[in-house]
């Protein structure tokens, strides 16, 4: 029988769900987790990250999260251009989750009746079922709970992946985020020496494709569905109208700049769910960089610019040595300056003239 659920989700996806293997009583007995402690964690909006241990002080846990999908209009630049955004928990990117290797992630995903589209979640950190996408596809007015074991360390993208052209459309409308799976004994350098960070910031990079009218002005829409037909050919052109950090041009500058102090070590987690990018900290470096985001691999050292592959997240550790405003950019400078991929760190502290000094102030060129 062709059901309303199939009509909303599409026959192909509904058929995929129907084909998924069912858990038997024997299987359930083999994965009895009743002895494991549970920890409920409240998610926070990027660039901030919920409190967590860098080194696990206990055995594996079941970490419980709840994330609500929100379709909403988002202003993405200082000219008032709007995007019919699709979001995890109301933010672009979605919140960053942090667990340790061996923990179980138990996510309750909620799709309120106020939304208009089916959604799901594909965890690149998970094993099986399209990363969870085949088990989490829900209509407006539904919720589901997925549990997976965090078996691999690193930073990993998650994103919405409903079906066909819906997948890139949902992703470039804002539906992506990151999960970080830390080693139970914390981060290490290439020799096994422990590494520690004082702060962690999550920068999610997004490429947006906003249609224009006949006069070249950006168009606005009342709903995601209304925007879809016009957005699809712009997406297929592969030329974004905006490339931004954390959902909008200027979202991480001015009053929203990330802050630190001289001597503090900051972990920067950077994701791009759709396109390659090249993060660069102007005036700083990547002391330790996991370009692929996988902590079982030794970090690269002293990088000026690092490479994040589309569909992945990477991490860079840096200790600030000078005060001032540091621009953090996608070093495709056209995208940084013209399209919006720029953030700022504001760092307090004492200036070190041994590292940099203006020997002579600007002045007229001597005639002889």
């Amino acid at each position: 029988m062709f059901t309303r659920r199939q009509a909303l989700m599409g026959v192909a996806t509904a058929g995929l769900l129907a084909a998924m293997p069912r858990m038997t009583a024997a299987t359930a007995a083999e994965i009895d987790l009743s002895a494991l402690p549970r920890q409920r964690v409240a998610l926070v909006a990027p660039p901030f990250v919920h409190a967590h241990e860098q080194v696990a002080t206990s055995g594996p846990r079941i970490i419980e999260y709840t994330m609500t999908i929100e379709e909403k209009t988002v202003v993405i630049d200082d000219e008032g251009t709007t995007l019919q955004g699709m979001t995890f928990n109301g933010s672009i990117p979605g919140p960053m989750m942090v667990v340790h290797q061996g923990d179980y992630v138990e996510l309750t995903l909620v799709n309120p009746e106020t939304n208009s589209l089916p959604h799901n979640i594909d965890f690149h950190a998970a094993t099986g079922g399209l990363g969870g996408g085949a088990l989490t596809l829900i209509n407006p007015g539904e919720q589901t709970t997925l549990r997976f074991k965090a078996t691999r360390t690193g930073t990993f993208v998650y994103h919405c992946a409903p079906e066909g052209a819906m997948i890139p459309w949902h992703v470039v409308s804002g539906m992506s985020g990151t999960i970080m799976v830390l080693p139970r004994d914390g981060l290490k350098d290439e020799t096994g020496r422990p590494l520690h960070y004082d702060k962690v910031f999550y920068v999610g990079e997004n490429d947006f494709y906003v249609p224009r009218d006949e006069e070249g002005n950006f168009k606005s829409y009342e709903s995601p569905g209304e925007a879809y037909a016009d957005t699809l050919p712009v997406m297929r052109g592969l030329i974004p109208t905006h490339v931004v950090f954390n959902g909008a041009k200027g979202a991480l500058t001015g009053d929203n700049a990330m802050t630190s102090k001289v001597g503090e070590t900051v972990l920067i987690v950077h994701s791009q769910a759709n396109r390659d990018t090249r993060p660069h900290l102007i005036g700083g470096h990547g002391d330790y960089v996991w370009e692929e985001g996988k902590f079982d691999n030794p970090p690269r050292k002293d990088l000026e610019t690092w490479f994040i592959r589309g569909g992945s997240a990477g991490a860079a550790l840096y200790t600030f040595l000078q005060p001032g405003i540091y621009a953090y950019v996608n070093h495709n400078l056209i995208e940084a300056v013209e399209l919006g991929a720029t953030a700022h760190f504001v760092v307090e502290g004492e200036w070190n003239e041994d590292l940099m000094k203006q020997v002579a102030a600007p002045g007229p060129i001597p005639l002889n």
Side-chain angles (χ1 to χ4, degrees), residues 42-341:
L43 293 165
V44 300
F48 305 107
V49 180
H50 65 77
H52 58 274
E53 296 178 333
Q54 295 185 43
V55 175
T57 56
S58 67
R61 297 172 175 264
I62 300 172
I63 311 298
E64 300 176 358
Y65 298 103
T66 297
M67 195 152 58
T68 300
I69 296 161
E70 185 179 354
E71 299 169 4
K72 65 179 186 178
T73 302
V74 181
V75 178
I76 60 173
D77 62 23
D78 49 9
E79 298 174 357
T81 305
T82 59
L83 173 80
Q84 281 300 317
M86 305 181 209
T87 74
F88 289 110
N89 247 38
S91 67
I92 300 177
M96 183 166 136
M97 309 173 193
V98 183
V99 300
H100 287 87
Q101 186 177 27
D103 287 341
Y104 290 83
V105 178
E106 191 168 286
L107 172 70
T108 296
L109 188 65
V110 181
N111 191 1
E113 288 185 352
T114 50
N115 290 336
S116 60
L117 298 168
H119 298 281
N120 67 352
I121 190 165
D122 167 4
F123 281 100
H124 289 194
T127 302
L130 301 180
L135 300 174
T136 57
L137 192 60
I138 47 176
N139 288 318
E142 295 180 339
Q143 70 176 47
T144 185
T145 301
L146 175 76
R147 184 179 65 234
F148 71 90
K149 188 174 184 178
T151 58
R152 301 169 188 268
T153 66
T155 52
F156 300 84
V157 162
Y158 65 78
H159 62 89
C160 191
E163 180 186 22
M166 297 291 105
I167 299 173
W169 180 43
H170 284 225
V171 169
V172 301
S173 297
M175 290 198 80
S176 65
T178 292
I179 182 168
M180 180 165 70
V181 182
L182 289 168
R184 299 205 74 79
D185 56 354
L187 300 180
K188 302 286 181 62
D189 69 9
E190 74 285 359
T191 68
R193 182 178 65 89
L195 297 172
H196 175 85
Y197 50 89
D198 299 300
K199 290 183 175 181
V200 54
F201 292 106
Y202 171 35
V203 178
E205 183 172 340
N206 293 87
D207 46 314
F208 294 143
Y209 302 80
V210 182
R212 297 178 186 267
D213 62 21
E214 294 80 2
E215 298 178 354
N217 300 312
F218 288 120
K219 300 175 71 172
S220 59
Y221 301 88
E222 294 297 322
S223 69
E226 183 187 351
Y228 176 68
D230 289 346
T231 304
L232 197 58
V234 184
M235 287 166 42
R236 288 173 175 168
L238 302 180
I239 300 175
T241 59
H242 299 74
V243 179
V244 301
F245 294 158
N246 288 35
K249 185 177 182 179
L252 296 177
T253 63
D255 292 340
N256 297 319
M258 298 168 284
T259 60
S260 188
K261 296 178 181 178
V262 169
E264 282 189 333
T265 299
V266 173
L267 181 68
I268 308 168
V269 177
H270 191 118
S271 71
Q272 224 301 5
N274 197 55
R275 300 169 78 241
D276 298 344
T277 187
R278 302 155 185 81
H280 173 80
L281 181 65
I282 300 177
H285 302 87
D287 291 341
Y288 298 92
V289 180
W290 296 266
E291 282 192 316
E292 299 93 347
K294 306 306 167 272
F295 299 136
D296 280 348
N297 301 328
R300 302 182 70 179
K301 297 174 66 176
D302 302 328
L303 298 192
E304 56 184 309
T305 300
W306 41 103
F307 181 68
I308 306 296
R309 297 154 178 79
S312 72
L317 201 66
Y318 180 63
T319 301
F320 284 102
L321 302 177
Q322 294 276 44
I325 297 178
Y326 292 71
Y328 178 80
V329 301
N330 172 343
H331 214 289
N332 177 329
L333 295 177
I334 300 166
E335 295 185 353
V337 176
E338 297 293 331
L339 301 187

